[in-house]
Each structure stands twice: as structure tokens, then as C-alpha cells.
Amino acid sequence: MAKITLKNLRHSYYPNPKGPDDFALKEVDLDWQDGGAYALLGPSGCGKSTLLNIISGLLEPSEGQILFDGQDVTKLPPDQRDIAQVFQFPVIYDTMTVRQNLAFPLKNRGVDPATIEKRVAEIAEMLEVTDILDRKAAGLSPDNKQKISMGRGLVRDDVNVVMFDEPLTVIDPHLKWKLRTKLKELHQRVSHTMIYVTHDQTEALTFADQVVVMQDGEVVQIGTPEELFERPAHTFVGHFIGSPGMNVLPATIKDGQALFNGTAVALEGPIHPGTKGTLEIGIRPEFVSLGDTGIAGTVSRVSDVGRHAVVQVTIADTKISAVVNGTPPATGDTVHLQLTAAQTRLYADGWIASTPAQKESAA
Ligand code: ADP
Ligand code: MG
């Protein structure tokens, strides 16, 4: 196992890239700590698979380096990197039995038969495929084929990292939840470094200790699920994580104060000096409440989501969602919104541009 470092990585699929738009990865500098459970989260096309394939060696980056424990492996072929990669669609040998498929990565490395038998039995039990071990892979359902594919990725215990590229795409929804939980358990047991790629925030947040959020070939934030929820470094993270996502309101600055629709809005703390560009105020619906005073607007939609309601309020042309416990107002009502200052942040050109107020020192 190893710490994996990505240094000044850039990748273009074009032979002569002209501008940033020609790069599938723009500039990635990242450390994956040994033993971490990571999710790589971002929308389709943002460069997740490109990044994984560079780590595994299926792809050589246009620029930059990959280091395993400080050693440059950029030019090493995949089979010399000791990596397990599970793809979106099953990669198994149809003519082999399930047992032979699971044993293959070990047999290939000359592991002794007794150890192989033990490891295969463990993995099979974890994936609940013990009863089909002697069936030919060809006849299996897509679910089971993908489970075997995952098993092949998990069977070796001497790998640097196990990477999953949207592995649950073909899996039935109720099984998805179960497998994800199993992977998490497995990580806690074997403590391999694991990188789990997904475009689904629920998958990312339940699996990972650290989530790496990507957009457009760039890493926009790395943090625990709580950190990403609490303090999105970019409005994209605010949108992408949370349901509904963070409210983003057009803003201006006057005399060091943030204004929305001409009204001063208290922020978490001071605005970064020299802030300019397109300004927005970000606040999650969980921190917007209805009161007797505050910014007035009209309720444009009320949706019931189980234990609470999401009330959408329109002010000028901006829609703001609030999570409301108790009886919600009706569509068309005039309400007043109160924003929790400590959870209200300023963003400039998408990036956070306010600093939390200094905590009072415990003097
Ligand atoms: P993700 O896995 O996040 O969906 P990818 O890494 O597959 O994203 O793709 C990132 C970008 O690179 C996309 O714009 C995609 O169209 C482009 N791309 C991916 N693979 C190739 C390829 N083999 N040739 C050219 N462009 C590619
Ligand atoms: Mg992909």
C-alpha cells in the first residue's frame, strides 16, 4: 500500500491542445493518503475516468507525474503498479466458473492454493455469491457478474489502491445500498486505499471519509462530507451536494457590506480584501427560516419531503428555498426570510470570498 501523489497532472486527448477547453484534466495536484476511503465525485464528463486511468497506467498523462510513496511510476505499465480497478461494466471470463474468476488475480501472481481458497471463500461470502461459486460466469445476471467483477478487484490484499469506476451502474437499486455498505465495511477491515468514482452524491457521502469534488477537469474541493456540506469552497459544490442544493443569490458589495436586491445581508465574517468579479451569496436552505421580519418575498412553491417542507420563495427574479419544519405557508403568501449569518457566505466567480468570523478567544 502506498501514498499516491499526483503532481501537476494535465491531460488532453488531442495531439496539439490549444486552450484549456482541450484538456480533459486541467491541472490536478493531489495526495491520496495510504489507507483512505475516497470518493471522486462529479458530473458526467468532468474527467473522473481519465484521472483513474492515469493512476492505473491505462493512460499516460500529457503532463505531470504520478508517484507511489515518492517513486515516479508515470511510465510504468498497469501490471507493474499493483492496482486493482473495477469498471462500470463487468470484466470477467465468461467461460470460467465464478470461483475461477475470483481466483484468477491470485493465481496469476503465483499465490499458493491454500491461500487462494481462503481468500476466494472470504470474498465470496462478503459478496454473497458462495452458492454460485461453481457456476459458469456466462449464465449469471448482470448484478451477479458485476459482483464477481468487484470481487476480482478486492481479492488481492497486496495492492496499492483499489479503484471503482461507477461500479454500481448496472446494479439493482436495493442491492446498490447493500453493496455500498459492504464496501465501506470492507474498507474498515482491510484498510486499503480505495477510490470510489461516482456522479451520485449519496454514494459518495456514504462511502467516503474524504470526498474529492471535480468539475470540468479540475478538483474544486476536498473534504469530509460534513465539510463539503458546511462550507462549500465553490458554488458548484454547494449546488451538487445537498438536496435541495445551496441557494445562490446575485450580490453586490457596498462599503464592505454584501447586498442582495438592495438589502444588506450579514455574512459569516469579513469579505476577502480585493474581492471582485461576479458576486453571489450562498446559503443552504437548511439555514433559511421564515420570520416576522426579514427579506420579503412571495411563496412560489411548497414541496413536502417527508419530515419537513421545502418552501420556495421568489424575490425579484431570484428563487430561494427554505427548509421549514411545522406547518408551511401556502403558495402566494407573503413571507419574510431570515438567513443565519454564520452560514451565509460570499462567492466571487464561484469561489468562496468570505472568511468565518474569528471565534472569541476564551480569555
Ligand atoms: P467522466 O468519467 O467524469 O464522465 P471522462 O474522464 O470519461 O469523464 O471524460 C472527460 C472528458 O474527456 C470528456 O469531455 C470526454 O468527452 C473526453 N474523453 C474521454 N475519453 C476520451 C477519448 N478516448 N478521446 C477523446 N476524448 C475523450
Ligand atoms: Mg467515467
Side-chain angles (χ1 to χ4, degrees):
M1 278 169 264
K3 169 178 158 181
I4 299 175
T5 306
L6 308 179
K7 237 167 125 177
N8 306 325
L9 271 195
R10 281 156 66 77
H11 188 71
S12 176
Y13 287 99
Y14 302 108
N16 299 302
K18 306 231 155 40
D21 287 350
D22 288 348
F23 281 83
L25 289 183
K26 296 211 170 92
E27 169 88 43
V28 176
D29 281 281
L30 201 53
D31 278 335
W32 309 85
Q33 298 302 332
D34 191 4
Y38 290 95
L40 185 56
L41 174 68
S44 177
C46 73
K48 304 182 296 296
S49 295
T50 302
L51 191 61
L52 278 204
N53 293 341
I54 286 175
I55 295 175
S56 66
L58 293 174
L59 202 60
E60 195 182 315
S62 316
E63 293 171 37
Q65 290 174 302
I66 304 105
L67 312 174
F68 287 2
D69 276 339
Q71 274 210 309
D72 192 335
V73 300
T74 317
K75 301 278 179 192
L76 277 192
D79 60 343
Q80 289 175 33
R81 293 195 188 188
D82 283 331
I83 268 181
Q85 191 169 7
V86 177
F87 299 91
Q88 197 166 7
F89 299 102
V91 179
I92 55 174
Y93 296 102
D94 269 348
T95 54
M96 291 185 187
T97 63
V98 169
R99 187 190 304 278
Q100 288 165 334
N101 264 289
L102 291 176
F104 192 80
L106 300 173
K107 215 172 158 189
N108 222 5
R109 276 173 183 76
V111 175
D112 67 279
T115 309
I116 294 183
E117 199 184 319
K118 187 167 152 275
R119 284 294 295 163
V120 168
E122 278 171 15
I123 292 293
E125 188 175 340
M126 187 205 100
L127 294 169
E128 296 176 13
V129 295
T130 307
D131 56 332
I132 56 167
L133 272 175
D134 292 307
R135 283 191 31 201
K136 278 267 193 301
L140 300 178
S141 66
D143 272 6
N144 278 331
K145 282 190 178 175
Q146 184 65 345
K147 279 205 217 170
I148 307 312
S149 206
M150 290 170 75
R152 284 163 49 90
L154 294 166
V155 77
R156 285 178 61 193
D157 57 9
D158 59 344
V159 291
N160 287 313
V161 56
V162 189
M163 305 194 293
F164 302 90
D165 196 347
E166 315 222 23
L168 303 182
T169 310
V170 294
I171 303 277
D172 204 58
H174 76 273
L175 233 172
K176 261 187 194 177
W177 181 82
K178 212 163 135 186
L179 278 181
R180 211 163 59 213
T181 317
K182 291 233 174 222
L183 279 180
K184 176 104 197 154
E185 274 171 32
L186 189 90
H187 177 264
Q188 281 157 353
R189 221 167 60 215
V190 303
S191 62
H192 276 147
T193 311
M194 289 192 187
I195 304 178
Y196 185 100
V197 167
T198 178
H199 62 272
D200 180 320
Q201 58 158 316
T202 316
E203 281 189 14
L205 301 181
T206 48
F207 173 74
D209 301 328
Q210 291 280 316
V211 181
V212 177
V213 185
M214 279 185 75
Q215 182 202 22
D216 255 347
E218 280 180 297
V219 173
V220 287
Q221 190 170 9
I222 304 170
T224 63
E226 294 73 30
E227 284 164 351
L228 299 183
F229 182 84
E230 275 280 313
R231 203 154 181 280
H234 193 281
T235 51
F236 173 78
V237 178
H239 275 303
F240 204 68
I241 290 173
S243 178
M246 184 172 76
N247 292 299
V248 176
L249 327 177
T252 50
I253 303 180
K254 200 177 161 207
D255 304 329
Q257 270 267 355
L259 308 182
F260 161 62
N261 197 32
T263 309
V265 173
L267 300 175
E268 59 174 347
I271 297 170
H272 295 176
T275 292
K276 54 180 169 29
T278 303
L279 302 176
E280 288 159 319
I281 290 167
I283 180 160
R284 291 205 175 270
E286 287 81 356
F287 304 114
V288 180
S289 54
L290 306 182
D292 298 329
T293 59
I295 308 167
T298 309
V299 176
S300 42
R301 197 170 71 203
V302 178
S303 17
D304 214 326
V305 279
R307 285 183 300 130
H308 55 250
V310 177
V311 176
Q312 188 195 67
V313 178
T314 302
I315 298 162
D317 285 331
T318 305
K319 292 178 170 51
I320 304 179
S321 293
V323 168
V324 173
N325 296 303
T327 315
T331 308
D333 285 359
T334 296
V335 293
H336 294 88
L337 298 182
Q338 297 180 345
L339 317 184
T340 307
Q343 302 291 345
T344 307
R345 325 200 192 278
L346 187 73
Y347 292 86
D349 291 334
W351 295 97
I352 197 154
S354 56
T355 310
Q358 293 289 317
K359 292 227 170 69
E360 303 266 329
S361 65

